[in-house]
Amino acid sequence: TQQATSEMLMSTGNLADAFRRVLGQGRVPVQGQILEDPMWKKIAIVVALLIIGCIGAASMQPDTFAIERSIDVKAPADKVAALIADFHVWEKWSPWDKLDPAMKKTFSGPSSGVGAVYEWAGNSDVGKGRMTLTSVDPAKSLKIKLEFLEPWTATNDTEFQLATTGDTTKVTWKMAGKNDGLMAKFMSMCMNMDKMVGADFDKGLGALKGLAEKGG
């Protein structure tokens, strides 16, 4: 956004000015004395360039992200949808439920379907968050509002798309969200979210397939 770009430029400008002031002095304090240190100046220049380069690269990262994985399940779409629409069943196939056996779970709203809410709080691997089922079409898709509350805050849109061909249902798990702020964009440079979360999606879809095909 224009505001984020302006903030980035101001931060970069302030940082550059600070380094110019320090480098203009060309001195470093040692035991109460001010000594000339050309090597220190060179190191400071390199560090300044690296920081400014990282800020610039982060600011160029996309404002949004999207992760998607699919699997073919030999079961009717409505049968697969039932396993997704009931949050009580997620412990049987969710890739995250097993990360913390002591995780606290809270269910509210209807037992399944639109309006069902699932809240969790656990260790550092799972954090704290909430899922709310916002839309259900047993033959086509289910949509979920996914909110992360700890260790960071974020709200993402999740969707399970169902497409039936013969006796097989193609299940596509999607998640999309925003990279809000410079820090989020910098983190996206350091971590491959598609690879990390995508691996969990693959694991969860595999478990969902096994559950649907053997009878739930």
Side-chain angles (χ1 to χ4, degrees):
T1 64
Q2 185 174 358
Q3 181 179 356
T5 302
S6 299
E7 292 176 353
M8 185 277 293
L9 291 174
M10 290 178 62
S11 298
T12 303
N14 292 337
L15 182 62
D17 289 341
F19 272 98
R20 278 196 294 269
R21 287 195 297 271
V22 173
L23 296 177
Q25 296 173 2
R27 297 171 295 179
V28 62
V30 177
Q31 294 181 351
Q33 297 179 343
I34 303 299
L35 304 177
E36 296 291 336
D37 193 341
M39 180 58 69
W40 178 85
K41 180 185 289 188
K42 292 179 182 178
I43 293 174
I45 291 174
V46 171
V47 172
L49 292 175
L50 286 174
I51 293 176
I52 294 172
C54 287
I55 292 174
S59 69
M60 296 175 65
Q61 296 302 303
D63 293 329
T64 61
F65 71 88
I67 300 167
E68 177 179 326
R69 294 293 188 274
S70 299
I71 198 170
D72 289 331
V73 180
K74 286 191 175 298
D78 59 346
K79 184 175 183 179
V80 177
L83 298 175
I84 301 171
D86 186 352
F87 287 136
H88 297 82
V89 184
W90 277 54
E91 65 180 14
K92 296 182 180 180
W93 62 269
S94 170
W96 300 295
D97 263 54
K98 298 175 179 60
L99 294 177
D100 181 8
M103 180 171 62
K104 180 182 178 181
K105 306 173 187 178
T106 304
F107 302 92
S108 57
S111 58
S112 66
V114 175
V117 177
Y118 168 41
E119 299 177 80
W120 75 89
N123 60 23
S124 58
D125 291 327
V126 298
K128 182 179 180 180
R130 179 191 304 115
M131 291 192 295
T132 305
L133 200 54
T134 60
S135 173
V136 176
D137 183 339
K140 294 182 179 180
S141 70
L142 301 91
K143 296 181 180 180
I144 297 171
K145 180 181 179 182
L146 175 60
E147 300 170 272
F148 295 102
L149 305 176
E150 292 179 5
W152 65 82
T153 59
T155 300
N156 299 331
D157 295 321
T158 302
E159 181 177 9
F160 290 85
Q161 295 181 340
L162 309 173
T164 301
T165 303
D167 63 347
T168 300
T169 299
K170 181 179 181 180
V171 183
T172 301
W173 191 353
K174 296 182 175 183
M175 183 172 72
K178 297 180 179 180
N179 286 325
D180 288 326
L182 198 59
M183 182 57 68
K185 292 184 177 184
F186 181 75
M187 289 178 62
S188 72
M189 292 173 55
C190 302
M191 299 182 295
N192 189 327
M193 292 295 291
D194 183 80
K195 184 176 181 180
M196 292 172 60
V197 179
D200 289 333
F201 278 15
D202 285 331
K203 187 182 300 183
L205 287 172
L208 181 64
K209 170 184 172 73
L211 191 62
E213 292 181 348
K214 76 176 183 180

